[in-house]
């Protein structure tokens, strides 16, 4: 068995049970080094360790004073021969000292009070007084050195305020095992673990015995801090879009119905706006809505009759109150809408993406949560078309490690054409649906952008892909912070 030089040194001096302090002294090592070496020796089965907790007792200022002058009750015992009226005692010793002293004389059964007179019963010196003297002489006492009598006295002193100070101390006792004794008795040349320049110059390295690595040693597992796998995955997604030439945009979690629905040409009586799906915020119906004044009429007219587009619109009425409602955004497409209003013709072509939380009032099960992430993106460019959209999505998923992607026809009020991308999970042998995409309708683009231009758009669910990526079958597990599971995740 390979031993560290400190371990070898300790085994040499450890013939019977000793404390870590004694060992440190004998082996000429620091207490720290001894503690470390001892725990290694214990894992190697060469010593057994026992921890002992003791108290270190010292006197505080008041304790020192009493040790010199005597406790208040002693002062009374010195002053009073056999009997004395209480007022006389008080006059001599002061009210405070007298009260303390009388209390303790009663407790210790050394005196009784009869009709305003103190009668002494017993003047003998008690354990607490002796311990006080001992403490004054020794400065510091370890509670393990006390007799049971002295321990009782210590108990009494502890109940008195500000006399003594008690500090908990830990001491380690090491006992060599039979094997440890055997190895300790053997003659060994000390091994070294490191070559020094001096050894190389002097040639000593040639005689040195180099310690081998012991790869069988048990080492405590480390639990380093790391990012949550979900936020790591989001970073990965960011990196993929950045590598494809996109820039990131952000938007608020609390949205107005205007940016979340109306600007997307989603009719005001659309079922998705229904309370079953959308979390409306009750108390903030009004308040400032960025860009509302500038875009309200354009959006309104588009809904009513198509506005500046060739569309006939939805007809009916359009309510400003409905548009002003505040809600938790139901998709990140709202972020895209806000962005479109900021875009100028000279900025084209534009490629942006966003990743963020969205909220829908869904019943919770293994694949639904009321809050989930979406990966949103658009390409605004005169020269792009539908096959480009499919190509971009295909490339994104391929970069995320999903090679089989397919598209199903779909419907959204704000896109035409519309598709739902799906990826194939090899392990489960099934296709999973991931969200929506399409080309924004002119009813969305023209009012917000100010001119017509193809806008490829998508909003993809992240959580199911994340669960798949991390080997989870239930997306709820992404958020329960199971420490055991988190510890097993990669550190990157
Ligand atoms: N917003 C849609 C959803 O949440 C996805 C989508 C985004 C569809 C962009 C088309 C275009 O399901």
């Amino acid at each position: 068995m390979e031993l560290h030089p400190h371990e070898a040194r300790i085994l040499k001096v450890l013939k019977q049970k000793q404390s870590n302090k004694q060992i440190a002294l004998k082996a000429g090592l620091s207490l720290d080094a001894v503690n470390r070496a001892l725990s290694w020796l214990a894992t190697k089965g060469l010593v057994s360790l026992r921890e002992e907790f003791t108290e270190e007792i010292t006197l505080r200022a008041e304790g020192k004073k009493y040790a010199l002058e005597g406790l208040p009750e002693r002062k009374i015992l010195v002053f009073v021969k056999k009997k004395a009226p209480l007022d006389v005692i008080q006059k001599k010793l002061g009210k405070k000292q007298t009260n303390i002293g009388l209390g303790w004389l009663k407790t210790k059964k050394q005196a009784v009070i009869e009709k305003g007179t103190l009668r002494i019963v017993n003047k003998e010196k008690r354990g607490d007084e002796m311990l006080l003297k001992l403490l004054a002489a020794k400065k510091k006492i370890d509670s393990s050195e006390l007799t049971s009598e002295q321990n009782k006295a210590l108990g009494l002193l502890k109940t008195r305020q500000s006399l003594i100070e008690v500090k908990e101390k830990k001491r380690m006792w090491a006992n060599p095992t039979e094997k440890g004794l055997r190895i300790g008795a053997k003659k060994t040349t000390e091994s070294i673990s490191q070559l020094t320049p001096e050894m190389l110059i002097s040639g000593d390295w040639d005689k040195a015995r180099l310690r081998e690595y012991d790869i069988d040693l048990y080492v405590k597992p480390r639990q380093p801090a790391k990012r949550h796998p979900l936020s790591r995955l989001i970073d990965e997604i960011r990196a993929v879009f950045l590598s494809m030439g996109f820039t990131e945009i952000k938007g608020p979690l609390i949205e107005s119905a205007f940016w979340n629905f109306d600007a997307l040409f989603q009719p005001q009586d659309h079922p998705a706006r229904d309370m079953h799906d959308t979390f409306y915020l009750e108390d903030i119906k009004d308040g400032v809505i960025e860009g509302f004044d500038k875009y309200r009429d354009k959006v309104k007219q588009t809904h009513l009759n198509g506005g500046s587009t060739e569309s006939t619109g939805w007809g009916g009425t359009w309510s400003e109150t409905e548009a002003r409602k505040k809600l938790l955004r139901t998709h990140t497409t709202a972020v895209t809408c806000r962005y479109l209003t900021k875009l100028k013709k000279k900025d084209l072509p534009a490629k942006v993406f966003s990743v963020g939380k969205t909220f829908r009032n869904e019943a919770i099960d293994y694949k639904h949560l009321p809050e989930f992430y979406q990966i949103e993106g658009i390409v605004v460019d005169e020269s792009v078309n539908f096959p480009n959209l499919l190509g971009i999505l295909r490339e994104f998923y391929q970069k995320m490690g999903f090679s089989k992607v397919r598209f199903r026809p779909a419907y959204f009020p704000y896109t035409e054409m519309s598709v739902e991308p799906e990826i194939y999970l090899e392990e489960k042998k099934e296709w999973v649906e991931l969200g929506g995409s399409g080309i924004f309708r002119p009813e969305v683009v023209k009012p917000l952008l100010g001119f017509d231009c193809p806008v490829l758009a998508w909003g993809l669910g992240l959580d199911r892909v994340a669960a798949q990526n991390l080997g989870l079958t239930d997306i709820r597990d992404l958020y329960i912070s199971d420490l055991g599971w988190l510890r097993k995740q990669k550190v990157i």
Side-chain angles (χ1 to χ4, degrees):
M1 187 179 317
E2 273 300 328
L3 292 179
H4 186 276
H6 289 178
E7 295 165 23
R9 238 200 267 178
I10 289 175
L11 280 189
K12 282 231 143 35
V13 300
L14 191 67
K15 302 282 179 259
Q16 78 265 333
K17 190 174 120 183
Q18 274 176 356
S19 77
N20 53 351
K21 270 198 190 158
Q22 296 168 319
I23 296 172
L25 225 66
K26 278 201 189 158
L29 293 169
S30 76
L31 195 58
D32 254 0
V34 169
N35 288 342
R36 224 171 306 131
L38 280 179
S39 73
W40 279 113
L41 286 169
T43 49
K44 292 174 185 173
L46 302 177
V47 302
S48 64
L49 295 178
R50 200 169 53 80
E51 278 180 352
E52 188 183 83
F53 292 90
T54 58
E55 295 170 329
E56 183 189 276
I57 303 140
T58 48
L59 284 182
R60 299 172 69 169
E62 199 164 327
K64 281 182 197 154
K65 195 176 126 224
Y66 283 148
L68 221 64
E69 309 171 348
L71 290 164
E73 59 267 34
R74 177 54 56 191
K75 286 184 197 160
I76 297 178
L77 289 176
V78 169
F79 173 61
V80 180
K81 274 234 163 73
K82 276 191 175 140
K83 263 189 203 176
L86 294 181
D87 49 352
V88 174
I89 301 174
Q90 215 178 78
K91 212 179 244 155
K92 169 79 182 166
L93 296 175
K95 195 170 173 188
K96 200 172 162 213
Q97 293 286 303
T98 306
N99 282 344
I100 299 175
L102 290 178
W104 282 100
L105 285 177
K106 255 199 254 169
T107 311
K108 295 180 182 176
K109 299 203 168 60
Q110 293 190 284
V112 289
I113 297 169
E114 288 154 349
K115 289 187 207 129
T117 298
L118 185 79
R119 184 166 60 80
I120 309 291
V121 180
N122 175 339
K123 283 200 173 187
E124 131 198 328
K125 258 216 167 99
R126 291 290 164 86
D128 53 347
E129 294 173 276
M130 308 211 256
L131 185 59
L132 208 54
K133 284 255 183 296
L134 191 66
L135 272 167
K138 285 189 130 184
K139 302 267 184 295
K140 193 157 76 177
I141 292 184
D142 196 316
S143 70
S144 65
E145 298 162 11
L146 297 180
T147 63
S148 68
E149 214 41 50
Q150 286 171 320
N151 250 313
K152 246 189 241 157
L154 177 64
L156 271 188
L157 288 183
K158 274 190 194 166
T159 63
R160 302 177 77 136
Q161 266 170 30
S162 51
L163 290 199
I164 56 173
E165 184 159 324
V166 180
K167 265 196 230 144
E168 261 226 339
K169 285 263 152 145
K170 193 172 89 174
R171 186 187 293 160
M172 186 124 69
W173 289 96
N175 209 354
T177 61
E178 252 175 58
K179 200 167 155 200
L181 283 173
R182 235 183 301 126
I183 293 180
K186 263 195 229 154
K187 262 210 148 98
T188 47
T189 44
E190 274 202 7
S191 63
I192 57 166
S193 60
Q194 241 167 7
L195 285 176
T196 60
E198 292 76 30
M199 294 169 107
L200 293 176
I201 294 167
S202 68
D204 279 354
W205 64 271
D206 198 26
K207 284 164 258 146
R209 203 167 65 81
L210 278 170
R211 196 147 49 90
E212 287 166 21
Y213 285 114
D214 186 347
I215 55 168
D216 295 323
L217 268 188
Y218 171 76
V219 182
K220 258 199 185 163
R222 292 246 184 168
Q223 311 291 0
K226 58 185 125 174
R227 310 262 327 249
H228 191 282
L230 192 58
S231 67
R232 214 180 58 222
L233 190 70
I234 291 173
D235 279 350
E236 231 172 274
I237 287 167
R238 269 199 186 104
V240 168
F241 275 113
L242 292 172
S243 78
M244 289 166 72
F246 285 76
T247 44
E248 186 169 2
I249 55 172
K250 292 195 165 148
L253 298 179
I254 294 178
E255 254 307 354
S256 53
F258 185 72
W259 291 120
N260 194 80
F261 294 130
D262 293 284
L264 280 166
F265 196 51
Q266 203 150 324
Q268 291 198 328
D269 58 2
H270 191 282
R273 294 202 188 198
D274 201 285
M275 283 304 228
H276 297 297
D277 246 311
T278 304
F279 290 111
Y280 283 96
L281 302 176
E282 265 184 0
D283 297 330
I284 15 182
K285 288 210 175 71
D286 293 314
V288 187
I289 298 170
E290 203 194 337
F292 187 70
D293 291 339
K294 191 163 169 206
Y295 291 94
R296 175 192 44 211
D297 289 334
K298 290 181 192 158
V299 169
K300 178 179 172 179
Q301 291 310 318
T302 314
H303 277 245
L304 292 178
N305 53 40
S308 62
T309 69
E310 281 159 36
S311 166
T312 56
W314 299 113
T317 54
W318 186 86
S319 146
E320 179 166 334
T321 320
E322 188 62 38
R324 278 186 173 278
K325 283 185 181 165
K326 289 290 171 79
L327 46 82
L328 296 180
R329 72 180 179 203
T330 64
H331 51 191
T332 36
T333 321
V335 183
T336 303
C337 285
R338 286 166 173 272
Y339 172 78
L340 281 178
T341 64
K342 309 245 158 71
L343 201 58
K344 304 260 164 6
K345 208 167 200 155
K346 64 170 172 43
D347 302 326
L348 302 191
K351 293 157 77 175
V352 295
F353 75 100
S354 64
V355 189
K357 270 270 173 78
T358 56
F359 307 84
R360 285 180 207 174
N361 194 356
E362 304 244 29
I364 297 177
D365 66 24
Y366 75 100
K367 56 177 183 175
H368 295 100
L369 286 176
E371 48 181 284
F372 52 97
Y373 279 98
Q374 278 194 334
I375 313 160
E376 192 87 19
I378 50 169
V379 174
V380 190
D381 186 351
E382 296 285 0
S383 65
V384 288
N385 56 26
F386 190 63
N388 294 140
L389 172 64
L390 306 191
I392 290 169
L393 294 174
R394 197 165 253 135
E395 184 177 345
F396 168 68
Y397 281 117
Q398 258 155 19
K399 290 198 168 178
M400 292 302 296
F402 301 98
S403 55
K404 275 198 198 162
V405 184
R406 75 177 182 190
F407 301 95
R408 281 203 334 209
Y411 170 78
F412 302 98
Y414 35 94
T415 49
E416 175 67 36
M417 329 259 279
S418 308
V419 286
E420 278 172 0
E422 293 187 340
I423 52 170
Y424 188 69
L425 301 183
E426 296 290 348
E427 296 94 276
K428 288 196 189 148
K429 304 243 172 304
E430 67 183 29
W431 289 94
V432 287
E433 174 205 312
L434 292 168
S437 65
I439 302 185
F440 274 157
R441 298 170 68 122
E443 290 97 325
V444 176
V445 178
K446 246 185 138 180
L448 303 183
L449 196 57
F451 54 89
D452 211 357
C453 179
V455 178
L456 313 180
W458 55 89
L460 313 168
L462 165 68
D463 302 62
R464 277 186 221 173
V465 180
Q468 174 62 29
N469 230 306
L470 298 167
L472 300 173
T473 47
D474 190 327
I475 60 171
R476 286 171 290 197
D477 292 340
L478 286 172
Y479 299 98
I480 57 168
S481 298
D482 173 349
L483 281 184
W485 179 74
L486 286 171
R487 281 183 178 146
K488 279 188 228 132
Q489 300 306 305
K490 284 189 253 174
V491 186
I492 294 176

